[in-house]
Amino acid sequence: MTHYKIGIFAGDGIGPEIMREGCRVLSLVGERNGIQFEQIEAPFGASAYFSHGDPFPEEAKALCDTVDAILKGPIGLSHAESQKIPVDMQPERGALLPMRRRLNTYANFRPVYLPKSLAHFSPLKPEVIGDGIDIVMVRELVGGLYFGKKETGTNAQGKRYVNEVLEYDEDQIRNILVEAFKISQRRKKVLHNIHKSNVLKSSVLWNEIVDEVKDDYPDVEVVHLLVDAAATALCLNPGQFDVMVMENMFGDILSDQGGGILGSLGLMPSACIGPERAYYEPSHGSAPDIAGQNIANPYSMIGSVAMMLEYSFDMRTEAQNIMRALQAVFDDGYSTADLSRQGSSVKMIATNEFGDKVLEKLAAMQVS
Ligand code: IPM
Ligand code: MG
C-alpha cells in the first residue's frame, strides 16, 4: 500500500476545528484510493509557544524535514493576546516565516475562485462577476521585504529609525516566474505581471527577468500591470485575470483582496511549493473572535487538502472531486455562520456538519 507521511500543524484559533475536517477528508481519500495518509501532528504557532515555550518547536522542525507534505492551519492571536508573546516569538515571525524559509517554499499558489454556486458570497455586482471568478495568484514567498535585513535604532539626530531591505537576486525572480509561466501555459495563457517599476528598482529587475523568461513560453501573453492599478482592476473587472504573478509583499496584500472579492478569506486555500518540500494552508488568519464556536467554514482547509493531492501527489481527479463536493454542499443551500447571516435563506450548519456533508458528497463520487 502506498504510504505517505503528512505533518499536521493545526495552529491557533479556528485552526484545530477546520483542520479536523481537512483530516477527515484526507482519510476518506486515502480509504477510497488504497493509500495510507499517515497524519502526524506537531505543535505549531502561538499555542505551541504557550505549551512548549517555542512557536516552532523541535518536533515540528523535525517533521518538516521528514514528511511528504504538511497541512498547516492558520496561526496567530488577537492583537492584545499577541502582546503577551515576545516580538520574535510571535507565531508569524517565530514560526511561519522560519518554516517557509526552512522548506524553501518559494512558490505560493492562491486560487481566487468563485464559481456560480458561490457567487452570492461576493460583494461584487452580478454583472461584474459575470460567469464567475477564476484566478490563480502566484506569490513569491521566501524573499523580498519579508526576509530582507532589518535594522532599528536611533540615528545621529537622535530619531528612532527603521531600515528594512527589499532584496531579490535574479534566480529568485526567475524561479517564481517560471512557475507562473508554467501554470499559465496549462490555463488560459494570459499572465498578468504585477509590479511597481515606476518607483521600485526591485520591480525594474523583476520586469527585466520577465522579458528574458517569456521567450521560453512564447504561447503565453504577458500583460504588465502596476500593483495599485491591479488592486482597482480586481474590483472592477476580475474576469480579465487568469494567472497573476508578484513578489511577496504585493502578493500578501492582493491575495487578501482576492478573498475580499470572493466575500471571505475563508474561501481561500493555498499551496506553498518548494523544490523539495511543500505545505498547504488556508490564506487567512486564525479568527480568534470565532474560535471554539464550531461555526468556521472548513472550505479553505479542505480546499488546501485538495491542493495537496494535486500538487504533491498528482491526484488531480480527487482534488477536483473535493472542490466539487465543497461546492455541492453550498449548492444544496448549506452554509456556516461565519460566511452567512442568520435569517438569510441558507440552512446554517456547524463546522463539523459541513465536513460531514462534504464527506457524503465525496463518498458518492467516482474514484479517480
Ligand atoms: C499570509 C499571512 C502571512 C503573510 C502572515 C501570517 C505572516 O498574512 O500567508 O498571507 O503575511 O505572509
Ligand atoms: Mg496575508
Side-chain angles (χ1 to χ4, degrees), residues 130-152:
D131 291 334
I133 299 172
D134 186 1
I135 305 170
V136 177
M137 293 193 180
V138 181
R139 169 188 178 192
E140 199 290 326
L141 201 60
V142 296
L145 269 178
Y146 274 59
F147 290 91
K149 281 196 230 49
K150 294 169 198 299
E151 183 184 284
T152 50

Side-chain angles (χ1 to χ4, degrees), residues 229-249:
T232 310
L234 268 174
C235 295
L236 297 183
N237 181 13
Q240 72 188 281
F241 296 115
D242 184 52
V243 179
M244 304 169 80
V245 63
M246 62 210 95
E247 65 88 42
N248 203 345
M249 184 86 209

Side-chain angles (χ1 to χ4, degrees), residues 7-24 39 41-48 71-78 266 280-302 304-305 338 351-352:
I8 303 291
F9 297 1
D12 304 320
I14 59 169
E17 298 160 56
I18 59 174
M19 181 62 87
R20 215 166 290 134
E21 305 314 312
C23 287
R24 290 166 75 204
Q39 301 173 9
E41 290 180 35
F44 188 79
S47 46
L71 260 188
K72 180 198 144 286
I75 48 111
L77 298 173
S78 66
Y280 301 85
E281 66 179 355
S283 297
H284 57 74
S286 61
D289 51 325
I290 59 162
Q293 297 177 32
N294 201 19
I295 61 169
N297 198 285
Y299 183 101
S300 60
M301 200 71 240
I302 295 176
S304 297
V305 171
D338 61 333
T351 307
N352 63 312

Side-chain angles (χ1 to χ4, degrees), residues 175-190:
N175 288 344
I176 188 69
L177 289 175
V178 164
E179 295 300 328
F181 274 99
K182 283 201 298 210
I183 189 167
S184 202
Q185 223 167 24
R186 296 199 301 273
R187 291 172 52 102
K188 292 190 185 149
K189 302 184 172 58
V190 178

Side-chain angles (χ1 to χ4, degrees), residues 72 75-76 91-93 96-97 100 108 110 139 141 146 248-249 251-253 255-256 270 272 279 281-285:
K72 180 198 144 286
I75 48 111
E92 295 82 359
R93 259 182 297 264
L96 182 57
L97 298 187
R100 286 178 180 169
N108 181 208
R110 295 194 159 176
R139 169 188 178 192
L141 201 60
Y146 274 59
N248 203 345
M249 184 86 209
D252 179 44
I253 297 169
S255 63
D256 263 36
S270 88
C272 308
Y279 85 94
E281 66 179 355
S283 297
H284 57 74

